[in-house]
Amino acid sequence: MSARMAASARSRAGRDAAARRWPRPARRLGWALCSVGAVLLAWVATTWVWPVVDPGRFPSPPDVYQAALQLSSGQGYAGGTLSAHVWQSSKLVLVGFAVASAVGIPLGLLMGWSRRAEALLNPTFLLLRPIPPLAWIPLAILWFGLGDSAKVFVIFFAAFVPAVINAYTGVRGIDRTLVAAARVHGASTPRLFVAVLVPGALPSIFTGLRLALQASWTTLVAAELVGALLGLGHVLVIASLDIYPGMILYAMVWVGIMGGLMTAALGWIERRVMPWRR
């Protein structure tokens, strides 16, 4: 028994020493690089080194490289260069996401706190919730025309639902003992919101914000079907019409890059707002 305990202790000590040599963020980065590298190697091997995949169905690295050169050069593609398309799409996503957050989070907090507000607002929300964001495109065109406002409107509805639901869930998950204690100590309703409800609901709120941001980028391509002249979604549409797989994949990569960068920025804000969750 003592020998097994000693071996177990040595094993734990070895794992602890390895953890000290390789901190957790470094290990995560290492695994992420290995995963991405494996995918890239498989892509290069199957489309270029041993081309077992038809280039008309999935582009090879040279195809994507040529698309990158064309989109990044002064010639551009689909009416603009890479920077113009990225800026247009990012602007639409940020505006739609910001408006949805500004409206959805207070609405969710209100419904989670007040039974009367929930009884008044929740039936309408339950009717709107199952409607896909794409179903709003015809009305968006009728109401706002073919400009950016129609696209922001569609993205807004994609981000609005998760923002409301998670803010509502965050308030409902707060221990009512804390609320009662704040009331006993004379906290007014505004003070209660600032000191108890919002801090208690923050983890759920940020979960909703991440889901809302993901939904915004997911809806972007459909939103840019509404008479877009620029944007990564517009590039995808034109490239599909031109049967240009290299450009399709390159635009998809940039959608992923921008979505990842915005998610990382949101995570940085979350760590600053809630340092105890690091």
Side-chain angles (χ1 to χ4, degrees):
M1 178 67 72
S2 59
R4 285 199 296 269
M5 293 176 62
S8 177
R10 287 195 297 270
S11 177
R12 286 197 301 271
R15 289 195 298 268
D16 293 342
R20 287 192 296 270
R21 289 195 301 269
W22 295 96
R24 182 173 296 179
R27 293 200 303 272
R28 289 179 178 175
L29 178 61
W31 283 113
L33 292 176
C34 289
S35 174
V36 173
V39 172
L40 291 177
L41 285 175
W43 173 45
V44 171
T46 57
T47 62
W48 192 19
V49 180
W50 300 288
V52 296
V53 178
D54 183 4
R57 295 181 179 274
F58 199 82
S60 65
D63 297 332
V64 177
Y65 178 70
Q66 291 299 322
L69 288 180
Q70 179 179 353
L71 192 58
S72 303
S73 66
Q75 175 186 0
Y77 182 79
T81 59
L82 175 63
S83 59
H85 290 302
V86 168
W87 166 245
Q88 174 68 9
S89 294
S90 301
K91 180 177 65 174
L92 293 177
V93 167
L94 286 174
V95 173
F97 170 73
V99 175
S101 302
V103 176
I105 292 175
L107 184 63
L109 294 175
L110 179 62
M111 290 196 301
W113 169 247
S114 171
R115 296 288 185 178
R116 292 181 179 178
E118 182 183 7
L120 177 65
L121 301 172
N122 198 42
T124 303
F125 178 72
L126 291 177
L127 289 175
L128 296 176
R129 178 182 174 182
I131 301 175
L134 307 188
W136 291 97
I137 289 179
L139 283 178
I141 296 174
L142 288 176
W143 292 345
F144 302 105
L146 298 177
D148 287 351
S149 298
K151 304 172 187 59
V152 169
F153 179 79
V154 175
I155 294 173
F156 163 83
F157 266 98
F160 175 71
V161 171
V164 173
I165 292 175
N166 282 271
Y168 172 87
T169 304
V171 173
R172 284 302 175 90
I174 294 175
D175 188 352
R176 293 298 165 178
T177 305
L178 297 176
V179 178
R183 287 295 195 191
V184 168
H185 287 82
S188 62
T189 299
R191 179 63 179 170
L192 188 65
F193 262 82
V194 173
V196 178
L197 297 184
V198 173
L202 272 178
S204 183
I205 288 174
F206 272 100
T207 299
L209 289 176
R210 286 193 294 272
L211 294 173
L213 184 60
Q214 178 182 353
S216 299
W217 278 103
T218 303
T219 313
L220 172 71
V221 175
E224 290 185 334
L225 290 174
V226 185
L229 299 177
L230 284 174
L232 294 171
H234 178 62
V235 173
L236 287 168
V237 172
I238 299 301
S240 66
L241 295 176
D242 291 342
I243 314 178
Y244 194 167
M247 188 63 72
I248 292 173
L249 183 57
Y250 188 60
M252 289 172 61
V253 167
W254 272 101
V255 170
I257 289 173
M258 296 309 300
L261 289 175
M262 288 189 182
T263 301
L266 184 61
W268 181 86
I269 295 172
E270 180 179 3
R271 290 190 296 273
R272 294 301 180 275
V273 174
M274 298 187 297
W276 60 88
R277 286 175 58 88
R278 292 182 183 179

